Amino acid sequence: MKQNNYKPQIPDVLEATFDAAYLILDLIAALLFFFFSQGNPLFILYGILTLTLCGGDAFHLVPRILRAVRGSNDKIKRQLGIGLQVSSITMTVFYIILMYIWKLTFPELAAPVSTEAVVWISAIVRIVICLFPQNNWCSEEGNLKLSVIRNAVFAVTGIGIIILYAMSGNTYGYHMTRMVAAIIISFGCYLPVTLFSKTKPKVGLLMIPKTCAYMWVIAMGLQLLF
């Protein structure tokens, strides 16, 4: 039931402001990629990457913003659950796109077949697991076992991408080893939240540096663009 007397507290306002600013900045970045790409496939793909991130996270963050300013109700709880499912899938797609960005950024380098296969297989497995109704996305309890499995598989996807960007190193002076750091930070913050946030809500604060890490990834693309 909606809390009619709900009044947002300062932390609620800060959360809503941060989430809204993040989505707006992502959207602006996507438009910049498309507008200034001049047909360059690399920056068009960066634009798609940014829209995937923004669109997927919006499914989860818009209900969080509404909850922060209006209070919680059954409808918002359901939207949050569905949003978590959608963002889990789009986040996986994000890393597949990031792999192809690596290929376009470093055309003279060849991705190891085994690494590319691991990224694809683990990503597909995670997406399939995310579609299982047993995940109980819309319930407060969730499904800890499936959460561990799907995020362990997701970590494998991330490791595959880390290997690629570690391989390229400072090729062309792009300093893409920073991408390795961003991915490690994002996973280091994301995994504890998915595993423990229901029992220890304060762990959810790790989503702030996780979000900043993804913005860093986009910023690296903008640096190449300009």
Side-chain angles (χ1 to χ4, degrees), residues 94-115:
F94 176 91
Y95 281 98
I96 295 175
I97 298 173
L98 201 56
M99 177 173 67
Y100 283 93
I101 283 177
W102 181 87
K103 288 186 170 187
L104 289 177
T105 306
F106 307 105
E108 295 180 2
L109 301 179
V113 175
S114 58
T115 301

Side-chain angles (χ1 to χ4, degrees), residues 10-226:
I10 291 179
D12 300 316
V13 174
L14 292 176
E15 177 187 356
T17 303
F18 178 83
D19 290 344
Y22 162 67
L23 292 176
I24 292 170
L25 288 173
D26 272 355
L27 183 58
I28 292 173
L31 294 174
L32 289 174
F33 280 124
F34 289 128
F35 186 77
F36 291 102
S37 67
Q38 297 182 340
N40 187 322
L42 173 61
F43 297 118
I44 291 174
L45 199 56
Y46 259 116
I48 295 171
L49 178 84
T50 309
L51 278 184
T52 301
L53 179 65
C54 179
D57 283 352
F59 275 91
H60 176 54
L61 293 181
V62 170
R64 286 184 68 90
I65 293 171
L66 293 175
R67 184 181 66 179
V69 299
R70 296 181 182 177
S72 185
N73 57 48
D74 291 339
K75 181 180 178 181
I76 288 179
K77 287 179 181 179
R78 177 170 174 77
Q79 289 174 342
L80 280 169
I82 295 173
L84 280 173
Q85 182 181 33
V86 172
S87 62
S88 294
I89 293 172
T90 55
M91 199 181 299
T92 310
V93 175
F94 176 91
Y95 281 98
I96 295 175
I97 298 173
L98 201 56
M99 177 173 67
Y100 283 93
I101 283 177
W102 181 87
K103 288 186 170 187
L104 289 177
T105 306
F106 307 105
E108 295 180 2
L109 301 179
V113 175
S114 58
T115 301
E116 191 169 351
V118 164
V119 170
W120 267 110
I121 293 171
S122 59
I124 291 171
V125 169
R126 174 176 161 84
I127 290 173
V128 170
I129 294 174
C130 286
L131 295 174
F132 289 171
Q134 290 86 352
N135 284 284
N136 299 325
W137 292 104
C138 296
S139 73
E140 293 185 1
E141 294 77 19
N143 186 319
L144 182 58
K145 183 177 180 179
L146 277 182
S147 178
V148 171
I149 293 172
R150 67 175 183 263
N151 286 300
V153 175
F154 189 35
V156 173
T157 306
I159 290 170
I161 303 302
I162 287 172
I163 289 172
L164 293 180
Y165 281 92
M167 277 177 51
S168 56
N170 191 33
T171 303
Y172 307 143
Y174 289 166
H175 299 286
M176 279 300 172
T177 47
R178 295 173 299 172
M179 194 72 77
V180 174
I183 296 171
I184 290 174
I185 291 171
S186 67
F187 270 95
C189 296
Y190 172 74
L191 294 178
V193 172
T194 59
L195 295 175
F196 306 116
S197 62
K198 291 185 182 296
T199 56
K200 298 179 180 179
K202 289 185 178 181
V203 176
L205 290 173
L206 288 173
M207 293 302 283
I208 295 175
K210 173 258 184 186
T211 300
C212 292
Y214 278 113
M215 294 178 72
W216 189 17
V217 170
I218 303 305
M220 289 181 218
L222 288 173
Q223 186 177 19
L224 290 180
L225 177 64
F226 294 112

